[in-house]
Amino acid sequence: QVQLVESGGGLVQAGGSLTLSCAVPEGVSDIRDMGWYHQAPGKLRELVATTTYIGTTNYGDRVEGRFTVSRDNAKKTVSLQMNSLKPDDTGVYYCMVDAFSHIGWSLVWGRGIQVTVSS
């Protein structure tokens, strides 16, 4: 089973910045969409940002203008630059990749990484 590797979370003060990264391991031969989702405590998982293979991006309303998603197709990585962080941004961030492996196309999720924004 493909396992994504997320990094970069942590504790930051409101107004600060963090960068999350996600790497796709060997075994994935092709990738379509990549992106990030956020789940606040007690709430449903919501879209943060996605990017297609050619770099077209889509952002959730709550983060547009503050967060930037980017990808490196050669390195099979996707990053999320988060600026002007707010306490509402606190939660677990999940990397998502639409990947082709030995089992065909599937949506693969990371285990999640905690981001805490203090006021």
Side-chain angles (χ1 to χ4, degrees):
Q1 184 175 352
V2 175
Q3 183 64 61
L4 305 179
V5 180
E6 299 151 321
S7 61
L11 173 65
V12 65
Q13 288 188 332
S17 298
L18 279 176
T19 300
L20 305 182
S21 296
C22 176
V24 180
E26 296 296 324
V28 172
S29 59
D30 200 1
I31 299 172
R32 294 187 294 207
D33 289 359
M34 305 178 82
W36 294 89
Y37 286 73
H38 167 246
Q39 187 164 19
K43 296 188 178 180
L44 297 176
R45 195 173 297 185
E46 62 177 2
L47 168 72
V48 176
T50 58
T51 174
T52 67
Y53 185 82
I54 61 172
T56 304
T57 56
N58 180 44
Y59 292 92
D61 291 341
R62 197 174 57 80
V63 306
E64 190 147 17
R66 299 188 296 125
F67 292 8
T68 303
V69 64
S70 60
R71 64 190 283 168
D72 185 323
N73 289 328
K75 295 181 179 179
K76 296 180 182 177
T77 60
V78 60
S79 298
L80 183 69
Q81 174 67 43
M82 305 186 292
N83 298 326
S84 303
L85 283 161
K86 305 174 181 179
D88 284 350
D89 295 320
T90 293
V92 179
Y93 286 75
Y94 295 90
C95 178
M96 180 282 297
V97 174
D98 188 8
F100 185 86
S101 65
H102 67 284
I103 62 172
W105 285 103
S106 63
L107 289 182
V108 183
W109 294 88
R111 293 181 176 180
I113 191 163
Q114 178 70 39
V115 170
T116 302
V117 184
S118 62
S119 57

